[in-house]
Amino acid sequence: RYTVLFPLVWYFARPKKQESLLIAGPYFSHSSAKRRGLGLFPLFYRAISRDGQSELGVFPLFYRINSPLRSALFTPLFGYDRDPERRHLYVGPYIQTRQGKIDRDIIVPLFYRSYDTVAKSTTVFSLPGYYGSWRKGKRAHVAFPLFWRFSYPETKRTTTFLFPFYLGQRNREKRTHIVFPFVWYTRSITSRTVFVLPLFYDQKKYDESRTTALLPFFFRRRVHHKKE
């Protein structure tokens, strides 16, 4: 069933479903078996549900939701929305969310942090170019596009890039430093090697030998004889 007094009044009803809608200029109201509400567009809105939830909006100042399981308040400057499974909070550009096992902190548009409370892992983004990740067995730091570092604490292994010139690798037994394309340095528990392209080469094997060359002018190899 509907009634219209064009253009100010519009009324629609479906009695079998217990639903109705009335629009009279800026005033409106609606009703159903589960919910009813009224408002003055675009300044005011009020609604009540049979499950105990109530809503109140005075625009643009605030909009509030309240129920046995949910509480929320939204304003231009701050707000929150929480229930037993999640929690959201914002103050200006700062946003905090807690949902399930994930916690997030955001400063729009500069910063993002995510923390997994079960896996104990953290991910961070920060403009203009930083990325960080901490999780079991692996860590990463990136200042895009120049600096990249990946480390594995359990194995004491680290890889570092400084584009476009430097690469470094380290583990329990060996360290390598490369400055592209000229310098190569490697050190382990048994030896040390330095190579500077295209002329210089020096390798020392501890307690065994040492080889030195300045190509093509000089070459020397010494062998350490073990004392019996």
Side-chain angles (χ1 to χ4, degrees):
R1 185 173 75 235
Y2 64 90
T3 301
V4 177
L5 296 177
F6 188 82
L8 296 178
V9 179
W10 302 70
Y11 177 75
F12 305 90
R14 291 192 290 183
K16 291 183 178 181
K17 294 186 177 182
Q18 300 180 358
E19 295 178 350
S20 66
L21 172 63
L22 172 64
I23 302 174
Y27 173 82
F28 65 92
S29 65
H30 63 85
S31 177
S32 68
K34 296 182 179 181
R35 175 184 171 91
R36 69 180 185 272
L38 57 86
L40 188 65
F41 184 83
L43 300 176
F44 177 80
Y45 179 69
R46 172 69 171 168
I48 299 177
S49 302
R50 290 189 179 274
D51 61 4
Q53 176 171 298
S54 64
E55 302 172 44
L56 176 64
V58 178
F59 306 103
L61 297 179
F62 71 89
Y63 179 71
R64 182 180 63 82
I65 301 173
N66 191 34
S67 74
L69 296 178
R70 183 186 179 192
S71 177
L73 175 66
F74 306 98
T75 77
L77 297 179
F78 66 91
Y80 65 86
D81 188 356
R82 60 175 179 253
D83 61 34
E85 297 182 356
R86 62 188 177 91
R87 183 182 69 187
H88 304 298
L89 168 70
Y90 69 89
V91 179
Y94 173 72
I95 302 172
Q96 181 188 84
T97 69
R98 303 288 184 263
Q99 186 166 0
K101 64 177 184 177
I102 304 298
D103 295 349
R104 295 181 178 90
D105 295 279
I106 303 167
I107 300 177
V108 180
L110 299 176
F111 178 82
Y112 172 88
R113 174 185 175 272
S114 175
Y115 177 66
D116 189 318
T117 59
V118 176
K120 305 299 181 182
S121 64
T122 302
T123 301
V124 174
F125 295 93
S126 181
L127 292 179
Y130 176 76
Y131 165 80
S133 176
W134 298 263
R135 61 188 64 188
K136 184 178 181 180
K138 183 178 180 180
R139 296 177 181 177
H141 300 274
V142 178
F144 186 83
L146 298 177
F147 178 81
W148 303 64
R149 171 170 286 178
F150 305 94
S151 59
Y152 306 84
E154 294 181 356
T155 60
K156 304 296 182 181
R157 181 163 58 96
T158 302
T159 300
T160 303
F161 297 92
L162 185 59
F163 286 107
F165 301 113
Y166 175 77
L167 166 65
Q169 290 185 315
R170 181 178 65 183
N171 56 36
R172 287 191 176 98
E173 299 180 351
K174 185 177 180 180
R175 294 184 180 185
T176 299
H177 302 277
I178 303 173
V179 180
F180 296 103
F182 302 108
V183 180
W184 185 300
Y185 174 86
T186 301
R187 183 170 185 172
S188 67
I189 59 177
T190 60
S191 66
R192 185 207 66 197
T193 301
V194 179
F195 191 18
V196 182
L197 292 175
L199 300 177
F200 181 75
Y201 174 82
D202 183 67
Q203 183 185 61
K204 182 178 181 180
K205 295 182 178 180
Y206 306 130
D207 299 326
E208 294 185 17
S209 66
R210 183 170 185 175
T211 301
T212 304
L214 184 62
L215 302 174
F217 308 104
F218 175 79
F219 178 85
R220 182 175 68 180
R221 177 177 173 82
R222 291 188 300 177
V223 178
H224 304 291
H225 297 285
K226 295 181 179 181
K227 296 181 180 181
E228 296 182 357

